[in-house]
Amino acid sequence: MTREALIDSGRIARFLLAAVIVFVFITLLTPVVLVVWASFFDSSFLSFPPPGYTLKWFAQAAEHGAFLRGFETSAKVAFGATCLGVFLGTAASLAIVRSGLPGMKLIQGMLLSPMIVPNIVIGIALYVFFIRIADGIGIDLTNGLWGLILAHTLLTIPWTVRLVCANLVGLNRSIEEAAANLGASPLRVFTRVTLPMMRSGVIAAALFSFIISFENLEVSLLLVQPGSTTFPIAVLQYLEFKMDPAVAAATTVQVLIVASALLISDRYVKLSRVV
Amino acid sequence: MSRVSRRDLLKYSAAAAAMPMTSILPALANDKRVVFGTWGGDSERILRETMAVVAKERYGIEVVFDVGTPSARKTKLIAQASRPRNTMDIPWLVDSDMYQMSARKIVKNIVPADIPNYENLIEDFRTDYSVPNCYGALVLVYNNSVTPPASIKDLWRKEYAGQIGVTDLSYDKIIPMASVAFGGSTSNYAPGYEALLELKKNGVRVYASNEAVGAALKSGEVKIALMWKGRAYTWQQQGVPISYVTPSEGAYPTFFVMGVTSNTGVPELANQVLGAALDPEVQVAVARVIGQVPTVKNAKLPPDLEAGIGFSEADRAKFIKADHAYAAEKASEAREFWNQKFKG
């Protein structure tokens, strides 16, 4: 093959790669762009083209108490499930990767199993389980946020285990060994060397966990306590009676908040390196 | 300013962390609390603003809303059927779902004398186990540019081919409606299945939600629909060029009914909340917001709303009467027909 032909094939490959990247970005971003666009439609019906544009749906979404209450509950539950899940998942990941004990692969598989069970099945099973606990020992986890937080923790642990295990496997252990050789105690090695090196994996796990918990619908449907609701449930219930752009407005605000949180996080940890 | 010591900080943090724990311990006696299982959205909002206020002011009862899809609420009810005390005191469901709950003894028979305003409930709507607080019915909705249909059977006319839209979730009403139109009944779906396959050949669009049907009527994608009268009225008010008519075979009603769980701990309070739901002012407010018609004779809608969503005595007499036992027996078969043969 001549040099010119090689250059031409290289250009074609680069062009194809760029085209695939653009296609993927368009596929990923189109739904978000459409939701944001629809939130400004001046029509009760989501039909194209819109007759005009307005900001009234944002005001209407703000007045819909269920969206606000749902947002607050979802944020609390996601925060609690993220803290618990990342703590437990990180500890489990250390044991799986570092302990060298037999059966660790099996334990890893069990910890990842909630990802392959349909969420609605998890929700029903936990609901029945919580009822049995309430009848047995008098602690009612279906009443209050703790049941929901524990249920969502089940969803956040697999993400944490996957991400932190991958991170741990890639760590250079010679740095920890050097610290130990220089006289650092095991606890000091862990807090001063291992944990900082795991930072990117733990932060990625926390981000994914928060998002997975915040947007969960199926598990929450059965476990949310009477008098309370989560944001996804509030959206679903709103859509049963109306399909106007107020839902798009509420979702746009959610997208903005999540995007802002990601940008703020990026100031402290470069997300492109951890995700 | 005094400094917060580490010990204090730990103490306050522990107290804050323990706060949510208090709710999972057995509730301290809150005698006047009734948990009401409901849809969310506008239906919850209007009951919160009206029925719950009446229950509080008149009887001192705090109504707590347990919001969820009908499937989630039914699952909760079934899972708690054998418990000493159900966490849900009043489920609010459609009549066919409540029939199933009654058949499983999850809701108990009501005692009319214990329910305030029960005497004003329209006699035809009464059952042994439920109290309907509002209702609606599927009617024929058509774009003003087409020849108005008069009967369910008219939907099969060739001039409407490809112009009909229905909602996916209404299949359990559309099948009996087709059956009634083609010689069957709500206790014999076979003629309906056959007729619907013919309608499929003519071309019919199935939409995921009622609102999607509304958008299709607005855009002109479809010209005819089987739709709830209340929705059609709302769309008409929003400028969609449609009209609607009760089919000559009769409209297919759905009643939104409340029951009292067999293992509620507060049966008297639950009856009082049912009474609040039958309050005429509450029912008129519900009609204004979600377009469902009052079930008590002393609730008077404004004339324009009555004309838009109401049903005359003659209309009510012609309602297609559901056979809930047959519908429950044929539920799987009907769902499979709809998903595999009609939509597939």
Side-chain angles (χ1 to χ4, degrees), chain B residues 2-3 5 8 49 54 61 81 94 119 123 134 145-146 165 167 224 237 241 270 287 302-303 306 308 314 322 332 338:
Chain B
S2 63
R3 288 185 60 188
S5 70
D8 284 340
E49 290 171 1
V54 170
I61 298 169
V94 294
E119 65 278 8
E123 285 80 2
C134 60
S145 65
V146 301
T167 308
I224 314 270
Q237 298 300 303
E306 175 65 38
S332 301
W338 186 260

Side-chain angles (χ1 to χ4, degrees), chain A residues 76-82 84 144-154, chain B residues 20:
Chain A
K76 282 180 185 170
V77 171
F79 179 74
T82 300
L84 259 178
L145 283 185
W146 275 105
L148 203 51
I149 290 173
L150 291 175
H152 280 212
T153 302
L154 266 189

Side-chain angles (χ1 to χ4, degrees), chain A residues 181-205:
Chain A
N181 286 341
L182 290 169
S185 66
L187 182 65
R188 198 174 170 83
V189 172
F190 178 73
T191 54
R192 291 298 186 86
V193 181
T194 314
L195 212 49
M197 286 201 299
M198 291 167 62
R199 192 176 65 159
S200 58
V202 172
I203 289 173

Side-chain angles (χ1 to χ4, degrees), chain B residues 277-301:
Chain B
L278 294 180
D279 182 275
E281 285 183 22
V282 170
Q283 295 218 342
V284 170
V286 168
R288 282 183 196 280
V289 172
I290 60 173
Q292 302 294 339
V293 189
T295 55
V296 289
K297 290 176 270 189
N298 55 343
K300 300 292 175 216
L301 293 180

Side-chain angles (χ1 to χ4, degrees), chain A residues 43-45 47 69 127 131 134-135 138-141 143-144 146 221-222 224 226-227 236-237 240-243, chain B residues 20-21 23-24 26 39-44 48 64-65 68-69 72 76 80 83 211 214-215 218 231 235 238 240:
Chain A
S43 166
S44 300
F45 292 92
S47 55
R69 291 195 305 275
Y127 183 71
I131 283 174
D135 290 345
I139 292 179
D140 189 357
L141 288 165
N143 189 21
W146 275 105
L221 266 177
L222 281 146
V224 69
L236 174 76
Q237 294 285 310
E240 281 202 43
F241 293 87
K242 285 180 179 171
M243 206 167 75
Chain B
M21 292 290 287
S23 60
I24 66 176
W39 289 266
D42 279 349
S43 60
E44 180 216 358
R48 188 187 286 274
V64 177
F65 291 89
T69 61
K76 284 183 175 184
Q80 297 192 71
R83 295 187 80 190
E211 297 307 309
K218 183 169 190 278
R231 291 288 169 103
W235 296 338
Q238 290 171 345
V240 182

Side-chain angles (χ1 to χ4, degrees), chain A residues 35-209:
Chain A
V35 165
V36 174
W37 185 28
S39 65
F40 296 100
F41 284 14
D42 190 8
S43 166
S44 300
F45 292 92
L46 285 172
S47 55
F48 296 90
Y53 294 96
T54 178
L55 290 171
K56 71 178 179 185
W57 301 112
F58 287 89
Q60 196 154 316
E63 285 169 9
H64 190 64
F67 285 155
L68 299 178
R69 291 195 305 275
F71 209 94
E72 186 187 342
T73 306
S74 287
K76 282 180 185 170
V77 171
F79 179 74
T82 300
C83 291
L84 259 178
V86 169
F87 175 74
L88 295 172
T90 303
S93 304
L94 279 164
I96 289 164
V97 177
R98 295 284 177 84
S99 72
L101 293 171
M104 283 298 128
K105 282 282 174 204
L106 181 68
I107 289 178
Q108 186 177 18
M110 284 176 65
L111 289 171
L112 295 178
S113 63
M115 291 176 105
I116 55 169
V117 179
N119 281 351
I120 192 73
V121 175
I122 294 177
I124 293 172
L126 283 176
Y127 183 71
V128 173
F129 179 57
F130 288 168
I131 283 174
R132 294 286 171 267
I133 291 179
D135 290 345
I137 59 175
I139 292 179
D140 189 357
L141 288 165
T142 63
N143 189 21
L145 283 185
W146 275 105
L148 203 51
I149 290 173
L150 291 175
H152 280 212
T153 302
L154 266 189
L155 307 178
T156 59
I157 284 176
W159 285 96
T160 305
V161 169
R162 248 169 72 151
L163 290 162
V164 175
C165 278
N167 180 263
L168 276 170
V169 169
L171 288 190
N172 185 355
R173 295 202 69 173
S174 60
I175 303 171
E176 293 166 84
E177 286 162 9
N181 286 341
L182 290 169
S185 66
L187 182 65
R188 198 174 170 83
V189 172
F190 178 73
T191 54
R192 291 298 186 86
V193 181
T194 314
L195 212 49
M197 286 201 299
M198 291 167 62
R199 192 176 65 159
S200 58
V202 172
I203 289 173
L207 282 174
F208 272 91
S209 297

Side-chain angles (χ1 to χ4, degrees), chain B residues 152-234:
Chain B
I152 300 168
K153 208 170 184 174
D154 281 349
L155 301 185
W156 276 254
R157 277 166 33 189
K158 288 293 177 196
E159 64 176 295
Y160 298 143
Q163 298 187 45
I164 295 170
V166 294
T167 308
D168 196 13
L169 286 174
S170 292
Y171 76 91
D172 57 342
K173 288 109 191 153
I174 293 169
I175 292 171
M177 287 178 91
S179 301
V180 167
F182 285 88
S185 70
T186 53
S187 308
N188 174 18
Y189 287 174
Y193 292 147
E194 204 176 314
L196 284 168
L197 291 178
E198 286 300 313
L199 189 67
K200 180 186 175 181
K201 283 184 199 158
N202 290 353
V204 57
R205 291 174 187 268
V206 181
Y207 294 91
S209 67
N210 293 326
E211 297 307 309
V213 175
L217 281 167
K218 183 169 190 278
S219 68
E221 192 171 86
V222 296
K223 299 280 175 66
I224 314 270
L226 278 169
M227 185 46 59
W228 303 104
K229 192 172 183 179
R231 291 288 169 103
Y233 170 74
T234 305

